[in-house]
Amino acid sequence: MLSYALRRLVTAVPTLFVIITVAFFMMRLAPGGPFDSDRALPPEIEKNIAAAYDLDKPLFEQYLIYLGRILRGDFGPSLKIRDFSVGELIASGAPASMELGFSAILLALVIGVSLGTLAALRQNSGTDFSVMSVSMVGIAVPNFVMAPLLSLVLGVYLDLLPTSGWGSGELRYKVLPVIALALPQIAYVARLTRGSMVEVLHSNFVRTARAKGLPPRSVIGLHALRNALIPVITTIGLQVGVLLAGAILTETIFSWPGVGKWLVDSISRRDYFVVQGGLLLIAGIIMLVNLIVDVLYGLINPRIRHN
Amino acid sequence: MTNTSPAAKADTAKLEAESRNATKAQLAEFWYYFAQNKGAVVGLAVFVLLVLMAVFAPLIAPHNPDIQYRDSFLVPPVWEEGGKAAFLLGTDAVGRDILSRLIFGARFSLFIGVVVVTIALTGGIVLGLIAGYVRGAVDTFIMRVMDIILAFPSLLLALVLVAILGPGLINAMIAIALVLQPHFVRLTRAAVLSERSRDYVVAARVAGAGHLRLMFKTILPNCLAPLIVQATLSFSNAILDAAALGFLGMGAQPPTPEWGTMLAEAREFILRAWWVVTFPGLAILITVLAINLVGDGLRDALDPKLKRS
Amino acid sequence: MLLRSFRHAVVGVGLALAFTGAAQAEKVLRVGNDGEPQSMDPHYISTVQTSRLSDDMIVGLLTYGQDGQPIPGAAESWTISEDGKTYTFTLRDHVWSDGTPVTAEDFVYAWRRLLAPDTGAEYASLLYIVKGAEDVNTGKAGPETLGVEAVDARTLKVELTAPAPYFLAQLAHQTAFPVPKHAVEKYGRDWTKPENIVVNGPYILTEWQPKVQATLVKNDKFYDADNVAIDKVIYYAMEDRTAMQKRFRAGELDLARDIASEQIDWLRENMADSLRIAPYAGTYYYVFRSDKEPFTDARVRKALSMAINREVITEKVLRTGMLPAYSFVPPGTANYGEPAYADFKDLPYGDAVKQAKALIEEAGYGPDKPLKITLRYNNAEDHKRIAVAVQSMWKQIGVEADLFNTDGKIHYADLKQGDFQVARAGWIADYNDPQNFLFLMESKSGPINYSKFNNEKFDGLMAEAEAVSDLGQRAKILHDAEEVAMDGQPVAPIFYYVSKQLVSPKVIGWVDNAPDKHPTRFLDLEQ
């Protein structure tokens, strides 16, 4: 297993390198620059600004300078929020995004697994049908539709919760964004759990446990659930990419000060280093998560086969 | 040597007739399994309705989707207080009828789905066939590129691509197609890898079939099932992604009545006019749901067939 | 021994009394700022939203008063030479927040740093009026050739290239701020971090959470600290106007520096006591590329400008109290008087349309040869609505306009390149003087003269005005220049901006003003 992981890490390096290159050149290809704005600047000033950020050098030279910086851990300055470097900005925004992400995953696991299990236990009943249909809808609803509607109902009509922003970190600001982000995940996990549980419940070892006379709760809890959860957990890892995309939309809708929204804004503002650094980071995270999931699955799988 | 004696001709004709019947029987069988899934049938029905709506939009829609009625800004749906019969689902902030815009919007959504899936499917099949068939360095290169594309969240990548190409519906579609492609490439390649060592392929090669013929006429038809299912999924993903891009202002530009763009325009009015947000959202939801149901049904119907053959 | 303990006791009691006296609640002003600050270093600031924070932290030679007009700041007095080209400032005796005295050297250091090409300061051109500034900024000369001199610790001498009556107003702008030489040399770019920052103004930065909020706390070493009532001001970065409004309504904000425009009617009805709409020194206009067909013909430009119904745009399309504009310089600009209005200002709209139609036909266009043009604007709801309205207004005189919108970045890049026929633009004054508007139409201004207006008479008048030191005479010359411009209509002014904000009735001392400057040091909160 270790050699597999190491091999994957080694092949990741050239991939990351390609990603850095692609991210760099893609952003520079986009028309318009970071300093074009309402306020018309005289040409001498533009020259000075470009020079200050190396933007007047030939593209390839800028690329090499950037590579050198990355190797030293310097992602470059933000061209918009100029007192902070990209690294500092990511560090300040990442906790907010991670808060959203982890809460959403947690909710997804807790609620999704419970609902899915319930549906599996009452297979083909009314409960099963309703859970499955609702989750089917949950997956189909784009979260940029669900989120404004949720905030409309809970935030405006019932005026229970603030509809936007981070406030100063109070809990009530977190509720809507987390729910909006978590809903599609909950639906997905519920379906997955139900399918997996149904399979496990009909499997031989569960029938054996029941035949042995074990109490139902222990049968479900100990044996069935644990085995049923394996595909669920491995898939969660793969859902990180989907979660990140969902986070972008959720953060935009709720003006959440995380990295998602900021990244999107930076693309439009041509804040080159931010986008390059952000893309690199995201790609890195996804690759890491994929690696962990693959390793985990490899570790778990032989056990199932021998069961 | 071709034997063109009358007896041989009769044989050929019989063979052809049998082959036609076989195809018909295959389709009938497929439909039988598909119809067992009630949800899939409903989904198909809804989808067909959508297609009809899109095709006959100018006839069905009560108004022209671009006309701004200056005296009817933000009129609520007909069943609410202040609603007007002329505007069944109300109007938006510049006085355009929402129902008409939704109906015309179906055109865009279906257009997006078809174009994106076609591009992604074509490119994906070609690349997947090449990768699986040729193997070696070409294969590794293609798969690496696909891995890199898959390393990014699709929406983010699409956003960067649109930033380069410029906002707009066509560019959004190109970006989304690019982002969805790896799925098709992987599928095709996997199918090719598993089929290429099968007897019938070896037989065809021994009989002297050329590479292209082998790839497209021999192997490909047997890989179609998972591709069809993936195509259906990608259809709804394309619609969703295009709507997401439109929502972020990077997709179809106003005043295009694309559902996602309508949502983006409506956001600031959510406090005063819930209908401007809800109905486009419902449209997206129903369309995506219908397609997903059909996709599920397809998968269930095609799978047993695979297992049996 | 006894005396000592007695003294300690007195001090102890005194302190106790002082603390109970100061046990009043701390006055915290919570401001919804409609944008994220870029930097706390004055040389890297280019947005209005950021300047609100730096204006609270650093005081230039002059600074903004309660009504937005410049008042003495770091300089307590000054003299101007006969020819108007040499200014001698006497600095007030005051210190930076770490106790170091503020000296003339801080200004020399700051201005040299501002104009050094390496710094890449966006607003450096603001001080081009200083002798040698442009050469330093373009790398042709070293910073020591700049026309500023620290005659002694409290005397600063500045030489200009020409008399400039607007120079004093410019000095209140953050571009002309001093920077603490000792801190900048010690910490480099990190001097603005909360743990390092040193200021000479009423407030100092204690905390900055990017994209969320920045907190400024009263600087006790400020020379006028006794008159500063507010102890702490928190600037929340809130680009979402609707959310900002919601928080204001909930009582979580005392000031909201912008509103959600489409809510204007609701706000007028329900929050009239908080809503403040005041004229703002800026003009929204459409610019014609006047060196390319079809806009080389002044009749075409004038006709299109006449056909715009400005009253409908401001009253029906926007409805936020903007004023229709027939001149480029907004009324109320200092050193000016009434601006030069286009001659069709008082013409009833129906007649204006008729005349416009006639002009178009005269220029050779008509139903068999319709005029087809492209109108560009950058992506925003208001710009779109106005463009759509203008499109139908132009249709009346037989002109077909195609609408083309792009992202802000691309829009401005293309404007500078001249890649447009007619496009939307806006200009907000950096300093209170008509030259700050009119220079946009001077041919020597280069790419920022979007329309490429090249009128000898106009350029000549502008050059003349620069050399004159008598304010009255200068105003007249500039007025003549504007008349030439409004006759030629390289731009079609549409409306003057207004500032819109929500001010809680608990805030005392708020004065609406055209520069929209409201330094926190003059504000107070009812408790």
Side-chain angles (χ1 to χ4, degrees):
Chain A
M1 209 73 267
L2 193 60
S3 64
Y4 173 70
L6 278 174
R7 233 185 313 137
R8 281 283 291 269
L9 277 173
V10 166
T11 51
V13 172
T15 313
L16 280 175
F17 177 75
V18 172
I19 290 176
I20 296 176
T21 313
V22 168
F24 178 87
F25 285 103
M26 273 209 291
M27 272 316 290
R28 302 308 168 104
L29 274 175
F35 298 109
D36 298 327
S37 72
D38 213 346
R39 202 178 166 268
L41 295 171
E44 314 85 85
I45 304 272
E46 284 192 335
K47 247 184 71 191
N48 288 340
I49 299 178
Y53 292 104
D54 292 330
L55 293 175
D56 56 345
K57 298 208 173 70
L59 207 55
F60 197 68
E61 201 182 321
Q62 289 186 50
Y63 173 61
L64 290 172
I65 296 177
Y66 184 65
L67 274 184
R69 278 185 146 147
I70 295 271
L71 287 173
R72 279 174 301 187
D74 172 16
F75 283 92
S78 164
L79 301 174
K80 291 294 149 183
I81 308 181
R82 300 162 185 178
D83 280 3
F84 291 90
S85 70
V86 172
E88 285 169 333
L89 284 170
I90 292 182
S92 79
S97 291
M98 289 202 288
E99 211 179 353
L100 260 191
F102 284 142
S103 314
I105 292 183
L106 204 63
L107 262 184
L109 280 176
V110 168
I111 301 182
V113 167
S114 322
L115 282 178
T117 313
L118 197 63
L121 289 176
R122 313 242 171 104
Q123 195 184 351
N124 293 328
S125 72
T127 321
D128 184 18
F129 184 70
S130 33
V131 166
M132 282 299 101
S133 338
V134 169
S135 58
M136 177 115 233
V137 173
I139 298 178
V141 176
N143 74 342
F144 56 92
V145 169
M146 175 58 74
L149 284 178
L150 263 185
S151 64
L152 187 64
V153 171
L154 290 172
V156 179
Y157 287 156
L158 300 177
D159 213 3
L160 287 172
L161 296 164
T163 54
S164 157
W166 187 74
S168 301
E170 297 99 325
L171 182 64
R172 60 185 207 279
Y173 283 94
K174 301 199 221 287
V175 175
L176 276 178
V178 169
I179 293 182
L181 189 58
L183 276 175
Q185 303 300 321
I186 295 177
Y188 186 72
V189 170
R191 297 201 86 202
L192 205 58
T193 310
R194 185 245 184 218
S196 173
M197 267 298 261
V198 163
E199 247 188 73
V200 168
L201 282 175
H202 288 293
S203 69
N204 286 330
F205 80 94
V206 169
R207 259 187 246 153
T208 316
R210 280 220 188 100
K212 274 204 252 179
L214 285 174
R217 204 167 295 155
S218 116
V219 170
I220 299 169
L222 254 53
H223 302 279
L225 200 58
R226 254 191 357 208
N227 284 292
L229 279 183
I230 292 164
V232 174
I233 294 183
T234 51
T235 324
I236 283 283
L238 297 171
Q239 284 289 88
V240 167
V242 177
L243 207 65
L244 273 166
I248 292 174
L249 289 165
T250 313
E251 287 181 13
T252 305
I253 296 170
F254 291 103
S255 298
W256 189 256
V259 277
K261 170 177 193 294
W262 172 58
L263 208 52
V264 171
D265 287 342
S266 300
I267 294 177
S268 343
R269 289 185 229 177
R270 308 286 189 267
D271 200 345
Y272 293 138
F273 299 109
V274 169
V275 178
Q276 289 161 214
L279 284 177
L280 184 60
L281 196 67
I282 289 178
I285 291 178
I286 292 185
M287 284 169 62
L288 190 65
V289 170
N290 280 346
L291 175 60
I292 293 177
V293 165
D294 281 348
V295 168
L296 267 175
Y297 196 72
L299 285 172
I300 294 172
N301 222 345
R303 263 185 49 211
I304 297 184
R305 283 208 212 105
H306 289 153
N307 230 340
Chain B
M1 251 188 343
T2 356
N3 194 347
T4 46
S5 69
K9 275 217 195 102
D11 277 337
T12 324
K14 213 161 108 192
L15 271 172
E16 279 177 11
E18 265 182 33
S19 143
R20 266 201 306 276
N21 285 337
T23 321
K24 257 195 255 169
Q26 267 186 330
L27 281 171
E29 191 186 4
F30 162 77
W31 179 252
Y32 173 71
Y33 281 108
F34 186 79
Q36 283 197 330
N37 185 337
K38 296 286 179 288
V41 176
V42 170
L44 189 62
V46 171
F47 186 69
V48 168
L49 268 172
L50 276 168
V51 172
L52 287 174
M53 214 167 70
V55 169
F56 294 111
L59 296 173
I60 306 179
H63 301 267
N64 184 310
D66 293 322
I67 297 189
Q68 304 176 13
Y69 294 95
R70 294 276 166 82
D71 51 352
S72 302
F73 291 159
L74 287 178
V75 172
V78 68
W79 60 84
E80 289 236 335
E81 189 191 318
K84 296 187 190 169
F87 310 112
L88 285 175
L89 293 181
T91 61
D92 65 7
V94 286
R96 295 175 293 204
D97 178 37
I98 291 193
L99 180 60
S100 310
R101 301 200 88 211
L102 285 181
I103 293 177
F104 274 88
R107 291 190 152 183
F108 285 96
S109 298
L110 291 177
F111 179 61
I112 291 169
V114 167
V115 171
V116 169
V117 168
T118 311
I119 299 178
L121 200 59
T122 326
I125 288 180
V126 169
L127 284 175
L129 276 176
I130 296 177
Y133 193 78
V134 176
R135 309 294 327 266
V138 174
D139 179 22
T140 320
F141 176 70
I142 292 181
M143 291 321 283
R144 282 284 139 265
V145 172
M146 293 303 127
D147 279 341
I148 291 175
I149 299 181
L150 283 172
F152 292 101
S154 57
L155 187 61
L156 200 54
L157 195 57
L159 274 171
V160 176
L161 284 170
V162 168
I164 301 174
L165 301 167
L169 190 56
I170 308 286
N171 293 336
M173 289 197 289
I174 296 175
I176 298 172
L178 225 86
V179 162
L180 288 178
Q181 216 177 60
H183 298 284
F184 291 99
V185 174
R186 283 191 152 190
L187 264 178
T188 316
R189 177 183 178 270
V192 168
L193 284 180
S194 76
E195 294 291 307
R196 76 201 297 261
S197 45
R198 294 279 202 92
D199 289 342
Y200 72 93
V201 173
V202 175
R205 205 179 323 142
V206 163
H211 290 303
L212 278 172
R213 190 195 165 84
L214 268 178
M215 283 202 281
F216 285 96
K217 289 206 125 187
T218 319
I219 299 182
L220 184 58
N222 290 295
C223 310
L224 277 181
L227 279 174
I228 292 178
V229 176
Q230 181 66 33
T232 331
L233 258 180
S234 297
F235 199 96
S236 67
N237 273 339
I239 297 182
L240 269 179
D241 281 345
L245 283 176
F247 179 75
L248 289 170
M250 298 298 215
Q253 296 296 298
T256 319
E258 195 266 322
W259 294 336
T261 314
M262 286 170 73
L263 269 175
E265 295 180 306
R267 256 188 79 202
E268 41 177 338
F269 303 103
I270 197 174
L271 288 176
R272 299 187 284 163
W274 59 267
W275 55 93
V276 202
V277 172
T278 315
F279 293 126
L282 270 176
I284 299 178
L285 166 60
I286 293 175
T287 310
V288 171
L289 200 56
I291 299 175
N292 283 356
L293 284 169
V294 170
D296 274 355
L298 275 176
R299 197 190 314 129
D300 289 341
L302 291 171
D303 254 334
K305 284 206 66 202
L306 280 178
K307 281 205 194 117
R308 279 202 321 277
S309 64
Chain C
M1 193 64 186
L2 204 59
L3 203 54
R4 233 223 237 134
S5 14
F6 178 68
R7 251 195 287 153
H8 284 194
V10 166
V11 170
V13 170
L15 277 175
L17 282 174
F19 274 125
T20 39
Q24 280 179 326
E26 184 186 46
K27 289 190 181 169
V28 180
L29 186 71
R30 299 155 305 169
V31 184
N33 202 3
D34 57 327
E36 163 73 24
Q38 302 161 297
S39 171
M40 302 298 169
D41 183 331
H43 296 161
Y44 293 99
I45 299 178
S46 60
T47 66
V48 160
Q49 292 81 4
T50 317
S51 69
R52 291 178 186 142
L53 283 94
S54 69
D55 286 346
D56 273 347
M57 289 198 284
I58 302 188
V59 172
L61 288 167
L62 274 82
T63 187
Y64 297 110
Q66 192 175 15
D67 58 354
Q69 297 301 321
I71 57 172
E76 60 185 6
S77 67
W78 51 85
T79 57
I80 311 179
S81 66
E82 272 287 315
D83 62 355
K85 293 210 269 191
T86 310
Y87 285 68
T88 313
F89 297 93
T90 308
L91 294 184
R92 190 188 299 269
D93 187 10
H94 68 298
V95 294
W96 293 101
S97 50
D98 62 354
T100 320
V102 177
T103 64
E105 185 58 34
D106 288 320
F107 282 90
V108 174
Y109 178 77
W111 291 13
R112 284 188 184 159
R113 181 176 184 258
L114 170 79
L115 290 162
D118 290 345
T119 312
E122 262 170 278
Y123 258 92
S125 52
L126 199 80
L127 286 187
Y128 273 11
I129 193 69
V130 175
K131 183 153 160 230
E134 195 167 350
D135 285 341
V136 172
N137 199 226
T138 45
K140 297 202 192 96
E144 53 302 335
T145 62
L146 190 62
V148 268
E149 191 195 329
V151 174
D152 58 52
R154 285 179 57 193
T155 314
L156 183 74
K157 193 162 93 159
V158 181
E159 278 174 53
L160 307 181
T161 55
Y166 51 83
F167 181 58
L168 285 175
Q170 281 183 319
L171 291 174
H173 195 265
Q174 79 262 0
T175 315
F177 278 178
V179 293
K181 179 173 173 186
H182 58 290
V184 179
E185 283 183 335
K186 186 168 169 196
Y187 298 111
R189 282 300 300 275
D190 281 341
W191 77 271
T192 51
K193 292 259 182 310
E195 57 270 18
N196 302 333
I197 192 169
V198 169
V199 301
N200 72 338
Y203 295 94
I204 184 166
L205 180 74
T206 52
E207 181 226 351
W208 185 5
Q209 217 180 336
K211 294 177 257 106
V212 181
Q213 65 189 59
T215 308
L216 308 183
V217 154
K218 181 170 164 182
N219 171 20
D220 289 318
K221 296 227 169 51
F222 177 55
Y223 60 81
D224 198 25
D226 293 336
N227 288 322
V228 175
I230 305 240
D231 301 298
K232 187 151 79 161
V233 52
I234 307 178
Y235 285 92
Y236 295 98
M238 309 195 74
E239 272 184 40
D240 182 347
R241 273 74 165 155
T242 313
M244 189 157 66
Q245 199 178 300
K246 195 156 191 259
R247 285 191 80 178
F248 183 85
R249 274 173 66 191
E252 293 170 24
L253 291 176
D254 303 304
L255 294 176
R257 296 303 296 256
D258 197 4
I259 62 168
S261 307
E262 77 282 356
Q263 309 261 356
I264 184 75
D265 295 324
W266 187 92
L267 284 169
R268 280 206 174 104
E269 268 169 65
N270 298 297
M271 301 193 75
D273 55 347
S274 306
L275 182 65
R276 303 293 184 113
I277 299 187
Y280 188 38
T283 307
Y284 185 109
Y285 59 100
Y286 279 176
V287 54
F288 303 107
R289 179 83 202 269
S290 57
D291 64 338
K292 256 179 148 182
E293 292 284 343
F295 293 117
T296 41
D297 190 336
R299 292 172 296 191
V300 177
R301 303 195 298 258
K302 196 155 181 195
L304 285 175
S305 180
M306 287 172 88
I308 299 179
N309 191 335
R310 293 157 172 84
E311 283 70 19
V312 159
I313 291 181
T314 52
E315 283 162 38
K316 301 267 167 55
V317 179
L318 289 176
R319 292 164 23 248
T320 34
M322 318 282 201
L323 293 168
Y326 292 93
S327 68
F328 196 54
V329 181
T333 307
N335 307 327
Y336 206 35
E338 278 296 300
Y341 297 110
D343 55 14
F344 51 85
K345 170 172 181 275
D346 296 311
L347 209 56
Y349 185 60
D351 295 340
V353 170
K354 275 200 222 120
Q355 280 191 29
K357 246 188 166 154
L359 277 172
I360 286 277
E361 269 161 38
E362 221 186 278
Y365 299 97
D368 42 319
K369 185 185 170 203
L371 178 56
K372 288 200 179 138
I373 53 176
T374 308
L375 171 59
R376 291 188 65 152
Y377 61 95
N378 53 316
N379 227 340
E381 191 55 37
D382 283 347
H383 305 327
K384 179 171 58 116
R385 279 191 251 165
I386 296 175
V388 169
V390 170
Q391 183 188 37
S392 56
M393 286 168 195
W394 283 345
K395 208 160 175 170
Q396 294 175 79
I397 58 171
V399 175
E400 287 171 36
D402 242 340
L403 297 184
F404 182 61
N405 81 313
T406 47
D407 193 81
K409 296 243 151 271
I410 305 178
H411 182 82
Y412 290 112
D414 286 345
L415 276 181
K416 268 187 274 192
Q417 307 241 3
D419 186 9
F420 69 98
Q421 287 190 308
V422 50
R424 174 252 154 207
W427 179 257
I428 303 208
D430 289 319
Y431 49 89
N432 206 347
D433 189 87
Q435 189 263 358
N436 194 219
F437 283 87
L438 295 173
F439 89 105
L440 288 174
M441 296 186 284
E442 271 185 274
S443 56
K444 71 175 189 188
S445 295
I448 42 182
N449 175 2
Y450 295 143
S451 78
K452 311 275 174 286
F453 190 52
N454 196 339
N455 184 306
E456 259 183 54
K457 193 153 174 228
F458 181 80
D459 286 340
L461 284 167
M462 290 297 290
E464 215 190 299
E466 243 173 73
V468 161
S469 42
D470 176 71
L471 281 176
Q473 207 187 347
R474 179 176 178 268
K476 186 169 174 315
I477 301 177
L478 287 174
H479 193 269
D480 289 339
E482 195 180 4
E483 241 182 84
V484 171
M486 284 302 102
D487 206 43
Q489 294 279 310
V491 304
I494 303 195
F495 61 81
Y496 308 119
Y497 284 104
V498 289
S499 66
K500 325 163 233 159
Q501 28 228 335
L502 293 168
V503 178
S504 165
K506 287 201 296 184
V507 173
I508 307 170
W510 179 277
V511 175
D512 287 331
N513 58 72
D516 196 24
K517 299 284 181 199
H518 307 274
T520 313
R521 66 187 263 220
F522 296 113
L523 298 177
D524 196 354
L525 272 177
E526 235 171 58
Q527 295 250 268

